[in-house]
Amino acid sequence: MDIENINVKSSIGVIGTIITTSESRRGILIPTLHKMQSENGYLPGDLLRLLSKKLSIPLAEIYSVASFYKQFHFTPRGKNIVRVCTGTACHVRGASKVVHALQDKFNISPGETTEDLKLTLETVGCVGCCGLAPVVTVNEGVVGAVGPKKLKGLIHDIEQEGEDHGKS
């Protein structure tokens, strides 16, 4: 993302004619953060500092905005984002075993990323697939009824850096 060449007026559009320059700069902050994260996979600190200067918004305010939303990340994330549902149905049907197996295999805890950036492990409250419990999502795919066999296949796929998880 070419932060130096961000054009606030064209980014904010027609609304920029009725709001102040400061409001326009703040108005493009979140879309710019989304673009930055989309391109980098996270929000690098050096780019946030550059954005702060470009938009004349204090860096603390940018961090405050970005840290408010859970979808923004400040550290690199894995190629595979594995989220283990720990909602009631998944918990009862063995989600903690899935979490522990992934932790033990990849030597990371929920919220962490492997050093080789193959995997980021997270837990979530509910993914809305209680009938398939225990459920794991891998990137955009949903894997239901995760038992030992599916877990073994999932781990194998991640180790091979496959991208077709959850399509079965």
Side-chain angles (χ1 to χ4, degrees), residues 50-77:
L50 193 60
L51 184 63
S52 171
K53 287 180 184 175
K54 175 66 180 178
L55 298 180
S56 300
I57 298 174
L59 184 59
E61 187 175 330
I62 291 176
Y63 270 104
S64 177
V65 169
S67 63
F68 178 80
Y69 298 101
K70 194 171 181 173
Q71 75 265 32
F72 291 122
H73 305 281
F74 299 101
T75 56
R77 296 177 45 85

Side-chain angles (χ1 to χ4, degrees), residues 136-161:
V136 172
T137 64
V138 181
N139 300 323
E140 302 302 319
V142 175
V143 182
V146 177
K149 188 176 179 180
K150 280 191 179 177
L151 186 57
K152 186 177 179 181
L154 178 71
I155 289 171
H156 177 268
D157 289 348
I158 292 169
E159 288 176 330
Q160 300 301 313
E161 292 191 13

Side-chain angles (χ1 to χ4, degrees), residues 113-135:
T113 300
T114 58
E115 287 182 20
D116 60 5
L117 301 178
K118 281 186 181 177
L119 169 73
T120 295
L121 177 62
E122 297 177 343
T123 58
V124 294
C126 184
V127 295
C129 301
C130 300
L132 300 174
V135 175

Side-chain angles (χ1 to χ4, degrees), residues 2-151:
D2 188 5
I3 292 174
E4 289 293 333
N5 291 318
I6 290 174
N7 185 326
V8 175
K9 285 186 178 185
S10 69
S11 295
I12 198 74
V14 177
I15 194 78
T17 60
I18 58 172
I19 61 175
T20 67
T21 301
S22 176
E23 290 169 331
S24 294
R25 290 178 179 153
R26 282 177 168 69
I28 68 164
L29 179 58
I30 290 177
T32 303
L33 292 174
H34 277 288
K35 246 187 221 178
M36 191 183 298
Q37 179 155 300
S38 175
E39 292 177 8
N40 298 290
Y42 72 107
L43 301 174
D46 58 331
L47 292 182
L48 291 176
R49 284 187 286 283
L50 193 60
L51 184 63
S52 171
K53 287 180 184 175
K54 175 66 180 178
L55 298 180
S56 300
I57 298 174
L59 184 59
E61 187 175 330
I62 291 176
Y63 270 104
S64 177
V65 169
S67 63
F68 178 80
Y69 298 101
K70 194 171 181 173
Q71 75 265 32
F72 291 122
H73 305 281
F74 299 101
T75 56
R77 296 177 45 85
K79 181 177 181 181
N80 295 292
I81 310 297
V82 176
R83 294 180 178 101
V84 180
C85 179
T86 57
T88 303
C90 289
H91 174 74
V92 169
R93 300 201 65 187
S96 61
K97 290 178 185 174
V98 175
V99 172
H100 288 119
L102 292 168
Q103 283 180 296
D104 292 345
K105 183 64 184 177
F106 293 101
N107 199 27
I108 58 172
S109 297
E112 295 180 344
T113 300
T114 58
E115 287 182 20
D116 60 5
L117 301 178
K118 281 186 181 177
L119 169 73
T120 295
L121 177 62
E122 297 177 343
T123 58
V124 294
C126 184
V127 295
C129 301
C130 300
L132 300 174
V135 175
V136 172
T137 64
V138 181
N139 300 323
E140 302 302 319
V142 175
V143 182
V146 177
K149 188 176 179 180
K150 280 191 179 177
L151 186 57

